[in-house]
Amino acid sequence: MLVQSIVRLLYIAPIDFLNDMFSSAWISRARSLSERGWEVAFVTPKSEKGENISDICEFRIFEVNRSSIPGLGGFSWERSLRLRLGPIIEEFRPEIIISDWNGSGGVSKVAKNYAIPWVFDDHSPPANNDLIGKLQWIHYDRNWRKFSLEADGVVVLTDSLERFIRDRHGHSFEMVKCQSGVDLELFSHCPEKTSSPVKLIYHGSINRERGVLELIDVVEKLSEEGLDFKLRIFGEGPAITEFKEAAKSSEKYEILGKVRFNEVPDLLSDCHIGLLPWPPSPAFSTSSPIKLFEYAASGLTIVGTNVESNVPFDGKEWFRIADKMNISESMVKEIKKLIIEDRLIPLGALSRSEAEERFSWKNVTEDLHSLLIMLIGNK
């Protein structure tokens, strides 16, 4: 279903689109809505420079100041939104607004003053458990308690995130699900992969909260088994230094550091096994596994821990489950099985087929699109 005429949608996104590796999910969701007839503009934190300008040039961007002081960014972002959002609305004249939970405190009153319906959107709770993470949790809980109740609609990423919120805050109102998806044209299956060495891949944030340091132990144990493999890892984060140190004494690593999003598909295309070493944490139990979808669209077999977001894929031939309480040992066991089975190419074809059937952005944004249509119809 397409909108009958161009309808303007203002999207409040606390993401540095020019530099943040997670911006692709926001851009792809907006692109899917654009294909249905929405004119999308973003409000984002101000960025001085960045590498991803070509990825967002199709959208109008309004920039708002955000403090760079660790722990204060979210609160300063919302204060800036309260000051700047009115003039942005008067210039762009949106019919509806979507705001991430991190931003909702700066949107709610302004949207009400302009009689514009708005949607409270939650991609993920905070991932870190340090002091900054605790400040983010205070902000997260406050916004869910107060501003989700003031919104005209609420969107969450997954069923598991909905259950988490209902258990944590007791909310009974309807929550629409809009999980992550994958661009099936950008990520493609390459059936002519070389069979040796077996290429393992991890990409994304490289920090200990994501369980990635377990992969150093995985490489060591697989090497002791005498298996022919390499681990390609790219992204950024403080733990990358530990991988570089490990690589000094092992030839099993290919460490690339930070890359642009448009380089990711090629870097996945010749790999065999995608790794998701998530630990037991609300951020990973409630997330929509966009990396899983990218791996699947690229024709990879996947080994991931049994966090709640991965459990629905347990039992698929192309997805092998590992124990989140014993990450490295259980991942080694499953990777070794896959290498010995020697069926990685046909299993990758199965994962690609599943991606085509279930994970496209067009499929996953249908309910969000319907919610927006309903809300502007109720104005």
Side-chain angles (χ1 to χ4, degrees):
M1 177 178 63
L2 300 176
V3 293
Q4 297 303 308
S5 59
I6 296 296
V7 184
R8 290 180 295 279
L9 164 64
L10 190 62
Y11 208 144
I12 314 298
I15 296 290
D16 179 355
F17 278 6
L18 297 186
N19 295 287
D20 198 308
M21 70 180 71
F22 299 112
S23 63
S24 61
W26 301 76
I27 295 168
S28 296
R29 183 190 279 189
R31 188 172 290 139
S32 178
L33 292 171
S34 295
E35 291 169 355
R36 288 184 163 95
W38 298 90
E39 180 183 346
V40 181
F42 280 102
V43 180
T44 71
K46 188 175 182 180
S47 180
E48 297 300 329
K49 59 182 179 179
E51 302 175 352
N52 301 332
I53 187 66
S54 62
D55 298 330
I56 61 169
C57 60
E58 67 199 86
F59 299 109
R60 189 171 182 182
I61 306 291
F62 296 94
E63 293 187 320
V64 171
N65 289 329
R66 180 175 66 181
S67 173
S68 60
I69 299 174
L72 299 182
F75 296 105
S76 72
W77 158 245
E78 291 189 338
R79 184 172 62 250
S80 296
L81 282 171
R82 285 191 290 271
L83 296 173
R84 286 276 293 120
L85 190 56
I88 291 171
I89 287 173
E90 291 176 6
E91 181 176 345
F92 183 61
R93 305 185 67 81
E95 278 86 356
I96 194 164
I97 297 170
I98 301 176
S99 175
D100 186 73
W101 70 262
N102 183 1
S104 60
V107 170
S108 182
K109 185 176 180 180
V110 179
K112 183 178 181 180
N113 288 343
Y114 282 87
I116 298 173
W118 73 282
V119 173
F120 183 102
D121 183 24
D122 187 356
H123 284 243
S124 173
N128 296 338
N129 296 316
D130 55 12
L131 178 59
I132 293 175
K134 290 177 180 177
L135 290 172
Q136 291 171 340
W137 274 106
I138 291 171
H139 188 192
Y140 181 79
D141 286 335
R142 182 203 71 169
N143 284 17
W144 261 107
R145 284 194 302 268
K146 180 173 174 59
F147 300 114
S148 67
L149 297 172
E150 299 177 1
D152 298 285
V154 173
V155 172
V156 293
L157 204 63
T158 60
D159 291 327
S160 56
L161 179 54
E162 178 181 1
R163 289 192 293 271
F164 173 79
I165 291 299
R166 295 201 190 283
D167 290 343
R168 190 173 181 90
H169 295 295
H171 292 324
S172 59
F173 49 69
E174 181 183 4
M175 300 182 195
V176 171
K177 265 70 71 181
C178 183
Q179 70 174 32
S180 298
V182 66
D183 186 330
L184 295 171
E185 294 183 3
L186 189 62
F187 292 85
S188 58
H189 178 213
C190 177
E192 291 83 25
K193 299 176 184 181
T194 58
S195 58
S196 181
V198 172
K199 292 183 181 178
L200 315 179
I201 178 76
Y202 171 83
H203 80 93
S205 289
I206 306 174
N207 56 54
R208 64 178 62 250
E209 289 85 2
R210 293 177 178 268
V212 296
L213 291 179
E214 298 282 348
L215 299 181
I216 294 176
D217 199 32
V218 168
V219 169
E220 184 177 329
K221 287 182 167 68
L222 290 173
S223 297
E224 291 172 356
E225 297 279 352
L227 298 170
D228 188 15
F229 76 97
K230 274 189 172 291
L231 171 64
R232 176 180 293 167
I233 182 167
F234 59 91
E236 59 180 336
I240 196 168
T241 56
E242 298 182 53
F243 282 93
K244 289 179 178 178
E245 186 64 28
K248 292 178 180 178
S249 57
S250 173
E251 297 180 351
K252 297 295 187 180
Y253 293 94
E254 181 186 0
I255 302 173
L256 302 179
K258 182 181 177 181
V259 304
R260 291 187 57 186
F261 177 70
N262 61 10
E263 298 176 80
V264 173
D266 283 345
L267 291 172
L268 297 185
S269 65
D270 65 337
C271 293
H272 301 90
I273 302 175
L275 304 178
L276 302 170
W278 309 145
S281 162
F284 306 115
S285 296
T286 59
S287 65
S288 180
I290 188 168
K291 286 183 179 60
L292 186 154
F293 303 150
E294 291 173 355
Y295 290 161
S298 302
L300 276 63
T301 306
I302 300 165
V303 177
T305 54
N306 56 339
V307 294
E308 193 168 351
S309 58
N310 288 342
V311 167
F313 305 98
D314 188 13
K316 303 285 186 182
E317 276 196 276
W318 52 269
F319 187 89
R320 303 299 170 93
I321 206 83
D323 184 359
K324 63 188 176 185
M325 305 306 296
N326 185 18
I327 297 174
S328 64
E329 188 171 327
S330 58
M331 291 193 89
V332 167
K333 179 181 176 182
E334 296 304 324
I335 294 168
K336 183 179 176 182
K337 282 182 184 177
L338 285 168
I339 293 175
I340 292 172
E341 286 175 16
D342 194 25
R343 298 177 55 235
L344 290 170
I345 301 302
L347 290 175
L350 291 177
S351 67
R352 172 67 190 191
S353 295
E354 185 107 1
E356 291 173 352
E357 183 178 337
R358 296 179 53 195
F359 305 150
S360 73
W361 280 106
K362 182 177 181 181
N363 285 342
V364 302
T365 56
E366 181 60 42
D367 289 345
L368 172 61
H369 172 68
S370 298
L371 172 66
L372 298 175
I373 291 289
M374 181 191 73
L375 292 177
I376 63 173
N378 291 339
K379 286 179 67 175

